[in-house]
Amino acid sequence: MKLEKIIKISGKIKVITGLHIGAASETIEIGGMDNPIIKDPLPESGAPYIPGSSLKGKLRSLLEIKEGRFVMGKGRADGAPCDCGQKDCPVCPVFGTSASKDKGRNGNDVQGPTRVVVRDAMLSSDWKKRFEEGDLPMEVKYENSINRISCMANPRPLERVPAGVEFDFNISFKKFDEDPDNYFQNLLKAMKMLELDALGGAGSRGCGQIKFCPLLIDGVEQSEDFLESLSL
Ligand SMILES: [Zn+2]
């Protein structure tokens, strides 16, 4: 198995509807459906950013749903990650598995190294400047949940990155000589699904719609409807 090339996907993630900001204490789980956007823990910054693990986990879980590869049960409503580690899995070779699964099972081909690396997406330079100058206030949206037995209202603040803000994203993808083309296609399809789904918490309540725009593959800008035009 030889590394043929590393494909770089880069560009901006544009916030279409407010992105929910979670606290760093909300653990980020691979495959989790409610991955938060968190604030830079550096005290002098405090700028919101999208952890690479959040972005990767969300892309993975969407691909698992599409391919019927999530495992229900295990105490998680949204299913646990596939983790089969087999080469013919549409998810595991691309997004990786826990270390113990890399060693082959049932005599089948093993997946080899994880193909995808997703970096943290930081505010793009002009938005970072606005944030530092205090010109980028976070939205606070109050959500009210009503206890249905006591009828007590329980308002809680939901901090959001406002629409229009852009983050720089970087994903690299390793192509090995023996890899089928669908590994890379699956990554692009997961990105398309993310545009149709939501990033961060409270997606079902309208938060977290994003668009990858512009989208560059190896530095070449793709047309605006490039992801949209992929068939799932
Ligand atoms: Zn798998």
Side-chain angles (χ1 to χ4, degrees), residues 88-155:
D88 59 356
C89 175
V91 179
C92 288
V94 180
F95 289 100
T97 47
S98 55
S100 59
K101 294 282 169 60
D102 285 343
K103 296 178 186 71
R105 220 171 45 173
N106 311 329
N108 292 335
D109 276 347
V110 284
Q111 61 179 18
T114 303
R115 307 304 192 274
V116 150
V117 175
V118 183
R119 316 241 178 245
D120 291 344
M122 314 306 281
L123 277 181
S124 56
S125 57
D126 30 337
W127 288 100
K128 186 164 188 286
K129 194 159 164 264
R130 284 183 62 174
F131 182 82
E132 284 163 358
E133 288 166 354
D135 192 25
L136 175 60
M138 297 296 114
E139 288 176 353
V140 178
K141 181 186 173 206
Y142 278 89
E143 293 221 324
N144 228 345
S145 63
I146 311 279
N147 182 311
R148 289 197 275 184
I149 294 169
S150 68
C151 296
M152 288 275 285
N154 177 31

Side-chain angles (χ1 to χ4, degrees), residues 49-68:
Y49 75 103
I50 305 169
S53 54
S54 249
L55 191 52
K56 184 181 171 196
K58 186 70 198 197
L59 291 169
R60 178 191 190 118
S61 69
L62 289 168
L63 188 60
E64 283 173 350
I65 290 168
K66 179 187 170 285
E67 301 289 344

